[in-house]
Amino acid sequence: DRRRDSPAAGSPIQPIIKDVGEVYSRLLDHRPVIQGEIRYFVKEFEEKRGLRELRVLENLKNTIFETNERVLPKCEQAMQDNLSETFKRLQAANAMIHRLQEREYEARKLQADKVMAREEKCIAHWEEFMKEQQNKRAEVDEEHRKAMERLKEQYSDMEKELAKYVSF
């Protein structure tokens, strides 16, 4: 019924449309080829491999079960024992390090106190030295002043005596 209603019915275009449909199905429609390849792959896989994967999976399941039931608890127990021992050792090492740090801090503090005491002693000694130097300088200045006065007196006496002889 449709062929009669379609404009291409009974016309020369109909063989072209048929040819285009065949070309499309051969070149562009890959479903039959892919389905054939899939059937071939599944058939080959099932025939050649058989139940080998099932056996491998069963062995893997047994290995996992054995690991979960036997090996893992042993490992956990060994880990707990070793962790406990390691934790005790770490605590002891931490306490020793803490004591060493305290000793080092005290030694540094003692050393710093000694250095401060030496510095204070040096400063006090320096101040005493400077006072002594000022006193000595004052003494030297006083001696110099006295010597200058003596020399002035001596020269003035000499000038007076010289003035006596100049009048001759």
Side-chain angles (χ1 to χ4, degrees):
D1 208 31
R2 282 188 174 174
R3 287 186 184 180
R4 288 186 218 154
D5 292 339
S6 74
S11 70
I13 266 185
Q14 190 171 8
I16 294 173
I17 292 175
K18 185 178 178 183
D19 289 341
V20 168
E22 285 180 30
V23 168
Y24 171 79
S25 65
R26 285 186 180 207
L27 293 178
L28 302 175
D29 190 14
H30 300 297
R31 281 179 281 165
V33 175
I34 292 173
Q35 287 174 353
E37 288 295 319
I38 290 172
R39 279 190 223 107
Y40 174 75
F41 178 78
V42 168
K43 180 180 172 187
E44 287 292 314
F45 186 80
E46 287 175 352
E47 286 177 3
K48 289 186 178 177
R49 309 257 342 209
L51 298 175
R52 189 174 3 163
E53 276 74 29
L54 189 60
R55 279 183 262 132
V56 168
L57 288 174
E58 187 67 30
N59 289 340
L60 191 59
K61 183 181 114 185
N62 291 338
T63 304
I64 290 172
F65 180 76
E66 182 179 336
T67 302
N68 283 339
E69 293 298 318
R70 293 188 186 105
V71 175
L72 192 60
K74 287 180 184 178
C75 288
E76 285 178 355
Q77 185 60 39
M79 185 178 70
Q80 286 297 328
D81 294 344
N82 289 335
L83 267 175
S84 175
E85 180 67 26
T86 304
F87 185 70
K88 288 177 185 175
R89 287 183 180 182
L90 280 174
Q91 284 180 330
N94 193 18
M96 289 171 54
I97 288 172
H98 186 67
R99 283 193 302 265
L100 283 173
Q101 285 177 334
E102 285 179 356
R103 287 180 193 163
E104 185 176 331
Y105 174 73
E106 290 173 5
R108 283 185 182 176
K109 186 177 176 186
L110 183 64
Q111 187 70 20
D113 290 346
K114 286 181 181 178
V115 167
M116 288 296 289
R118 281 189 213 136
E119 284 181 10
E120 289 173 0
K121 187 177 177 182
C122 284
I123 289 172
H125 182 65
W126 179 255
E127 288 175 355
E128 184 181 326
F129 174 75
M130 290 304 289
K131 285 179 184 177
E132 190 178 309
Q133 290 301 315
Q134 282 183 336
N135 291 339
K136 286 182 180 180
R137 188 180 83 194
E139 287 176 13
V140 167
D141 285 345
E142 184 63 27
E143 283 182 31
H144 182 265
R145 188 185 60 74
K146 287 180 182 178
M148 290 289 289
E149 285 180 14
R150 275 185 278 149
L151 282 175
K152 279 183 186 179
E153 287 177 17
Q154 184 180 357
Y155 281 123
S156 99
D157 288 344
M158 287 172 86
E159 274 184 26
K160 287 178 187 175
E161 293 232 1
L162 198 69
K164 288 182 192 176
Y165 293 117
V166 170
S167 59
F168 282 123

